[in-house]
Amino acid sequence: MAGSARGPGSAGHRSAGRYVWWLVVSQRGRVAAGASYGSLWMVGLMLPPYVLSRAIDEGLVPGRMPVLLGWAAVLFGIGVANAWLAVMRHRTMTRIRMDATFRTVRAIVAHTLRLGAALPRKVTAGEVVTIGIGDVAVISQTLTMTGPGVGGVLAYGVVAVLLLTVSPLLAGVVLLGVPLLALLVGPLLGRLQGAEARYRERQSGLAARLTDLVGGLRVLNGLGGKEVFADRYRRESRALRGEGYRVGAVTSWVQALGVGLPTLFLAAVTWLAARMAAQGAITVGELVAVYGYAAALVVPVSFFIEGGYDLTRGLVAARRVVRFLRLEPDAADGAGDATGAGDAAGAGDAAGDAPEAAAVLCDPASGVEVVPGLLTALAAARPGESAAVVDRLGRFADSAATWGTVRLDEMALTQVRDRILVADNEAELFAGTLREVVSGRRDRAEEAIGRAVRTALAEDIVRGLPDGLDSAVEAQGGNLSGGQRQRLRLVRALLADPEVLLAVEPTSAVDAHTEAGIAARLHDARAGRTTVVTSTSPLLLDRADRVYFLVGGRAVAVGSHRQLLDEQPGYRRLVARGEDENEDGTEDTEDGGTDGGGTYGGPAGGGDPAARPAEVAGLPAPKEDTR
């Protein structure tokens, strides 16, 4: 796929037709070669009937063997040439389809990265899965018509010229009959487009439902909501099956007419030519030629019908891809970066520059000021309030937050992302080896990995896996417990070694003993670096240099943990609740939610332990962290 790297770099997403055209012009040289091979192959299919008629009339009927052998040799040569052209046409069209597939995949992946944290709020996982698995292949199949489709038109013209030398009547029948066949199939293609669009929409919704069901199966088991979700899936599956039947009904007629109409047309032309041969209007050789021309025309006619069918389905699929590519990132993700995922230097020219040295991060909405080089903690009765502060300081939400003297939303986004890292306790863990999972985008030295593992008290995870750092980790950390997943997220954040680390509930899924160790080591490991954590755990708060007590999203007090205990009754009550809940805390089990917090924002984080499970089950519940 070397050619995939060349050509226009941005997908045309103003319409489905423009997108398909972009795929064509992106590999114009290869498409031109495919059209040439397809045209020569199609025209070559029309030549054997002509050669055969000459062999009959000039060699077989008069009994002139040398002439007959000469025409037979020409026929053999045409057959060999057609075979080679067919092989080259197929190879070229396969490359075109593969190039279009990977070009679309690359466009989707690049736009997914551009959307960033806004992606889950703008499109369902099922929609992305359906596009990536089904629509990409359908669009690529549409490009097949650029080869045989062009060839079919040329073959149609060649047959018209050859038939005119035999009989103007037969030429007129063929020239009028072929377009008539295409017109008869046209209305069905319109119906197919509508049925296919409805089917794709339902398929996307069902895929999203299945993704939710698989991802929340353990939680649904605990809530007793598995059957409710399964019944809902069955109902939607039956509706999808009904749409599939409707698509199949229209498709069956299109395919039946694609085979049947050319056959009936062949029979009609053959009957007419046979009548003319019996009356002496044409010779036996010309009769054979007319039959051959009509039989050969079945191939381009079938390609026309199949091409219309593929184009109809391809436009439906391309419309879904275009709709995805039109999604825009949140203003906080896109401001100050004119190219989205593009040129950082260009974006920096159009925006303010991040401070060269360490500077204060300030969130006017909450009154939080993060002093460089200190470990700052945010404590709030509602975890969503402290997480919202982190969102603003990490530029994942619109705000007037500043870094030094410049607003964050006026800086180039690439500068912010390179120096400020938001470590969410629900961040994704991708499949791979443990070393790859924690290393992120760069290869890390063994010593650096070891230090980060020790800081996050994750040595037992490495020792417990069969191959240590080279052991396989399933997608979403499916073969790890909730506490193990959380500690690996912390290892990954520490290995990134950002200038500013903003960690949301980094210890909510571990027991009190482990949390105490992480708190002590985190303070030492990040000494001299700017670190912000959100938590209500006294074990972590006691290690913080500064603690902000948030009420209603605003900082009502700031100081050390012990100062706030002495001066703020509300803070004292909040932390005392955290102490009670941490006394019997145990390492999280596989479902990630038994220790009071886990990945569902439970008691250790000060939130509602039922909030996230209820949300997964489809019940009304507040969504605290929208990132």
Side-chain angles (χ1 to χ4, degrees):
M1 293 296 101
S4 300
R6 299 189 295 269
S10 59
H13 54 266
R14 281 179 287 178
S15 68
R18 285 181 179 271
Y19 183 81
V20 173
W21 179 245
W22 172 75
L23 292 176
V24 172
V25 299
S26 295
Q27 44 179 332
R28 56 177 66 88
R30 189 175 289 152
V31 169
S36 299
Y37 286 129
S39 299
L40 292 173
W41 174 68
M42 283 281 191
V43 172
L45 293 179
M46 307 303 144
L47 296 181
Y50 173 77
V51 174
L52 190 59
S53 69
R54 298 294 298 273
I56 292 173
D57 288 342
E58 296 179 9
L60 185 61
V61 174
R64 298 160 61 185
M65 187 57 64
V67 176
L68 180 62
L69 291 177
W71 283 115
V74 173
L75 188 61
F76 177 78
I78 291 175
V80 172
N82 273 356
W84 180 81
L85 289 171
V87 170
M88 297 305 297
R89 176 194 65 82
H90 184 77
R91 286 183 178 180
T92 304
M93 298 315 301
T94 299
R95 291 191 178 100
I96 290 173
R97 288 194 298 270
M98 294 296 289
D99 184 284
T101 296
F102 288 111
R103 199 176 293 272
T104 300
V105 169
R106 191 166 63 238
I108 291 172
V109 171
H111 194 64
T112 298
L113 296 176
R114 181 169 176 259
L115 289 173
L119 178 65
R121 297 193 293 274
K122 294 179 178 291
V123 63
T124 65
E127 178 82 3
V128 179
V129 169
T130 303
I131 291 173
I133 294 178
D135 293 332
V136 169
V138 172
I139 295 172
S140 302
Q141 183 65 31
T142 303
L143 268 66
T144 301
M145 64 183 297
T146 60
V150 176
V153 175
L154 293 177
Y156 177 68
V158 170
V159 169
V161 172
L162 292 174
L163 280 176
L164 281 172
T165 63
V166 176
S167 168
L169 175 61
L170 289 173
V173 170
V174 172
L175 290 177
L176 294 176
V178 172
L180 181 61
L181 297 181
L183 290 175
L184 290 175
V185 181
L188 287 175
L189 295 178
R191 287 189 57 190
L192 176 63
Q193 187 168 6
E196 187 81 22
R198 291 190 296 271
Y199 176 80
R200 289 288 181 181
E201 291 298 328
R202 284 192 177 273
Q203 186 182 39
S204 172
L206 190 63
R209 182 74 66 193
L210 181 61
T211 302
D212 291 342
L213 182 60
V214 173
L217 188 58
R218 289 172 177 155
V219 180
L220 291 173
N221 276 330
L223 294 173
K226 184 172 64 174
E227 289 303 321
V228 175
F229 232 87
D231 287 341
R232 194 176 302 169
Y233 182 84
R234 278 192 288 268
R235 288 196 302 271
E236 294 184 11
S237 180
R238 285 194 292 268
L240 178 64
R241 182 181 61 189
E243 289 292 346
Y245 286 161
R246 281 186 279 275
V247 172
V250 180
T251 301
S252 65
W253 277 105
V254 172
Q255 294 179 343
L257 292 176
V259 175
L261 287 179
T263 304
L264 293 175
F265 176 68
L266 171 62
V269 172
T270 304
W271 177 83
L272 180 59
R275 288 290 300 265
M276 295 177 68
Q279 295 170 358
I282 61 176
T283 67
V284 175
E286 289 174 334
L287 170 62
V288 173
V290 170
Y291 173 81
Y293 296 148
L297 275 179
V298 170
V299 177
V301 171
S302 297
F303 269 119
F304 288 149
I305 296 175
E306 288 181 13
Y309 170 68
D310 289 337
L311 181 61
T312 298
R313 298 179 69 236
L315 290 176
V316 172
R319 195 172 297 123
R320 291 164 54 82
V321 171
V322 166
R323 187 170 59 194
F324 177 78
L325 294 177
R326 283 176 178 169
L327 297 176
E328 292 293 335
D330 291 340
D333 290 338
D337 188 2
T339 59
D343 183 66
D349 293 341
D353 289 326
E356 295 183 3
V360 174
L361 266 173
C362 179
D363 175 35
S366 63
V368 171
E369 293 187 354
V370 179
V371 178
L374 299 184
L375 173 59
T376 303
L378 309 179
R382 295 178 178 273
E385 294 175 358
S386 54
V389 176
V390 169
D391 279 347
R392 294 192 290 268
L393 293 176
R395 199 175 141 183
F396 281 98
D398 295 332
S399 73
T402 60
W403 193 10
T405 59
V406 183
R407 284 176 53 130
L408 279 172
D409 57 8
E410 294 178 353
M411 299 176 188
L413 183 61
T414 50
Q415 295 183 15
V416 177
R417 294 288 180 261
D418 283 343
R419 298 174 61 184
I420 299 178
L421 173 65
V422 175
D424 195 328
N425 68 348
E426 296 182 10
E428 301 289 339
L429 290 177
F430 299 99
T433 64
L434 181 58
R435 186 188 309 276
E436 293 169 341
V437 168
V438 300
S439 293
R441 60 180 175 175
R442 299 188 184 94
D443 293 333
R444 307 291 180 177
E446 200 79 20
E447 296 77 9
I449 296 177
R451 286 194 300 270
V453 167
R454 284 190 295 275
T455 301
L457 257 70
E459 299 102 319
D460 61 306
I461 303 176
V462 179
R463 289 194 301 265
L465 293 173
D467 299 315
L469 289 172
D470 295 319
S471 301
V473 175
E474 297 176 3
Q476 308 294 337
N479 56 336
L480 303 172
S481 72
Q484 290 174 328
R485 292 193 292 269
Q486 189 172 56
R487 283 183 284 160
L488 289 185
R489 293 185 183 104
L490 181 56
V491 171
R492 184 171 61 186
L494 292 170
L495 270 175
D497 195 26
E499 179 180 332
V500 179
L501 173 61
L502 310 176
V504 178
E505 302 289 345
T507 60
S508 61
V510 299
D511 59 60
H513 174 74
T514 304
E515 185 175 34
I518 292 176
R521 296 184 185 186
L522 179 63
H523 186 276
D524 295 338
R526 293 286 299 174
R529 310 281 276 175
T530 306
T531 308
V532 177
V533 297
T534 69
S535 180
T536 56
S537 167
L539 298 171
L540 193 56
L541 294 172
D542 191 41
R543 290 286 181 172
D545 299 308
R546 303 181 79 193
V547 179
Y548 279 90
F549 177 40
L550 305 178
V551 176
R554 294 283 305 175
V556 297
V558 59
S560 69
H561 171 60
R562 299 193 181 278
Q563 286 177 329
L564 294 180
L565 283 176
D566 293 338
E567 300 171 2
Q568 295 292 326
Y571 179 82
R572 192 161 53 245
R573 287 193 298 271
L574 174 64
V575 173
R577 183 176 64 179
E579 284 179 331
D580 293 340
E581 289 161 350
N582 273 325
E583 284 176 358
D584 60 352
T586 56
E587 174 68 23
D588 194 7
T589 58
E590 289 187 358
D591 65 0
T594 62
D595 70 325
T599 48
Y600 306 119
D608 180 1
R612 291 303 174 91
E615 179 187 318
V616 173
L619 302 176
K623 186 172 179 63
E624 296 168 343
D625 187 359
T626 60
R627 190 168 58 258

